[in-house]
Amino acid sequence: MDIVMQGLAAITIKQIVLWVIGGILIYLAVAKDFEPALLLPMGFGAIIVNIPMSGAVTQMIDGTAVEGILDILFKAGITTELFPLLIFIGIGAMIDFGPILQNPFMLLFGGAAQFGIFFTICLAGLLGFPLKEAASIGIIGAADGPTSIYVATKFAPNLLGPISIAAYSYMALVPVIQPWAIKLVTSKKERQIRMTYRPESVSQTTKIVFPIAITIVTGLIAPNAVPLIAFLMFGNLLRECKVLDSLSDTAQHELVNIITILLGITIAATMQAEKFITIQTGMIIALGLVAFIFDTVGGVLFAKFLNLFRTEKVNPMIGAAGISAFPMSARVIQKMAQKEDNQNFILMFAVGANVAGQIASVIAGGLVLMLVH
């Protein structure tokens, strides 16, 4: 009974707030199906690390530091960058680069949709964040959770909690945020532009050479991005070589599922109330939203700019699919196109831009790591 009373007496308002936040994340995962594989373990983890005297995190007992299981997992999987890199193998095995190889033009939209990253880095710097922290916050705009975690681990491990929450929350909210941002900078007539899809066959040799070539080219441009792009492309190589189907299936399912569970609940180790409930956390989440919106708007405006010089116009919504939230963003774009014109089918173009965004976000992360010192 004395232990129970000590626990109750140790509860703080901030811990209760984190319980509520954890509950909200679980609600979004279960009731709204928003990135449940990550938001549910993150939400549950936020609750357990904020139980007074929780053995899940490191605590002092009789003057001796007793390491908690989440801190052990954090050192093994996050500090070493192991978890985000392993997830990239699974993501690569899931991606079909066929739409890009059929329409290499879509690569431009992947690059344009990273504008919000660099805009937000500048904005965060103006708000007083050190350059490395500002760079970590800006990467949220890529809507690529593993890349955000990877960069934050190197540059701002103290901000890993709010950066991870923001990155995965905005990924989950793509169907809510992107339509609003797109309509802000497009007209109904522009959203009704039809595009003619001309499917072309892509040889298996091309599909095998592509991930190898992208890895080499990226390594030459941004050497610091090699771990990210190499693991992503290795996963894709497992998929496309057609002789390692069992390994490809394992990467897509068992590997991704196990690492996702561990990653989600481990990130919660950084969500202890006294460190997490701060004005700085609120600023990071707000800046992450700015980055995400400006990435979307940047891609759309780039498509509108190209239309000034093209006879066959591009539906500017395609540009918004250049973020890394694959395949959610492509689906949102197709849904919006059919809402404006039920005979408008631009899904394959949107998928191409979306896959390009996956590559571009990794390269952007590598460039940030290389350029920021």
Side-chain angles (χ1 to χ4, degrees):
M1 182 62 72
D2 289 341
I3 294 176
V4 173
M5 294 304 295
Q6 288 178 12
L8 291 173
I11 296 175
T12 66
I13 296 296
K14 287 186 176 182
Q15 287 174 328
I16 294 173
V17 170
L18 256 298
W19 292 350
V20 172
I21 291 174
I24 291 172
L25 293 177
I26 293 172
Y27 170 78
L28 292 174
V30 176
K32 301 297 183 180
D33 198 29
F34 287 170
E35 290 290 328
L38 273 159
L39 293 192
L40 192 147
M42 286 170 69
F44 188 73
I47 293 172
I48 64 175
V49 301
N50 287 290
I51 295 173
M53 299 177 288
S54 171
V57 291
T58 301
Q59 57 181 314
M60 297 296 295
I61 298 179
D62 297 329
T64 303
V66 178
E67 202 164 23
I69 183 61
L70 292 188
D71 288 314
I72 294 172
L73 286 173
F74 189 90
K75 289 180 180 178
I78 305 295
T79 303
T80 62
E81 301 147 12
L82 181 64
F83 289 169
L85 288 175
L86 288 178
I87 277 190
F88 266 110
I89 295 178
I91 293 173
M94 295 176 188
I95 293 177
D96 178 7
F97 287 120
I100 280 187
L101 295 172
Q102 292 173 355
N103 295 282
F105 175 63
M106 293 295 108
L107 284 168
L108 295 175
F109 298 111
Q114 310 308 312
F115 168 74
I117 293 175
F118 300 98
F119 174 82
T120 305
I121 290 173
C122 297
L123 181 58
L126 291 174
L127 292 175
F129 285 93
L131 183 55
K132 288 187 176 182
E133 292 185 359
S136 302
I137 294 167
I139 293 294
I140 296 171
D144 185 346
T147 301
S148 297
I149 292 171
Y150 186 83
V151 173
T153 300
K154 286 184 172 293
F155 278 173
N158 56 308
L159 303 181
L160 187 59
I163 286 173
S164 302
I165 290 290
Y168 283 107
S169 295
Y170 295 139
M171 282 175 62
L173 292 172
V174 163
V176 177
I177 299 171
Q178 278 210 306
W180 169 81
I182 291 169
K183 289 181 179 179
L184 194 66
V185 291
T186 59
S187 65
K188 184 178 181 67
K189 184 178 180 180
E190 287 174 325
R191 296 194 295 273
Q192 290 177 329
I193 292 175
R194 294 187 180 187
M195 299 175 68
T196 303
Y197 179 66
R198 303 179 183 88
E200 300 177 10
S201 61
V202 179
S203 69
Q204 184 183 0
T205 300
T206 301
K207 289 188 173 183
I208 290 174
V209 170
F210 180 75
I212 299 172
I214 286 291
T215 301
I216 294 172
V217 171
T218 302
L220 294 174
I221 296 172
N224 286 351
V226 168
L228 291 170
I229 200 71
F231 276 57
L232 180 72
M233 293 301 161
F234 174 67
N236 187 252
L237 197 56
L238 292 178
R239 172 196 177 99
E240 300 299 349
C241 72
K242 304 302 181 185
V243 295
L244 293 171
D245 288 345
S246 60
L247 293 184
S248 177
D249 289 341
T250 298
Q252 294 179 50
H253 300 103
E254 287 83 359
L255 177 64
V256 165
N257 289 338
I258 291 171
I259 299 300
T260 297
I261 291 171
L262 293 175
L263 181 65
I265 199 164
T266 301
I267 287 171
T270 65
M271 296 176 66
Q272 296 175 55
E274 295 303 318
K275 299 176 182 178
F276 191 86
I277 303 296
T278 64
I279 294 175
Q280 186 182 61
T281 295
M283 292 175 66
I284 290 169
I285 292 173
L287 286 167
L289 180 59
V290 169
F292 185 79
I293 290 173
F294 272 80
D295 267 2
T296 297
V297 170
V300 173
L301 294 180
F302 177 72
K304 293 178 69 169
F305 174 75
L306 289 181
N307 279 344
L308 296 175
F309 310 97
R310 288 175 58 94
T311 53
E312 186 176 350
K313 304 301 182 184
V314 173
N315 188 313
M317 293 193 296
I318 294 295
I323 64 169
S324 181
F326 178 83
M328 288 178 291
S329 185
R331 291 173 181 166
V332 167
I333 301 309
Q334 173 59 29
K335 186 176 180 180
M336 289 184 68
Q338 290 205 290
K339 187 175 180 180
E340 301 290 352
D341 174 3
N342 61 15
Q343 296 301 310
N344 195 2
F345 299 97
I346 60 173
L347 179 61
M348 293 309 295
F349 293 101
V351 168
N354 211 179
V355 172
Q358 184 73 66
I359 298 173
S361 68
V362 172
I363 294 175
L367 287 172
V368 166
L369 289 173
M370 183 175 67
L371 296 174
V372 176
H373 300 288

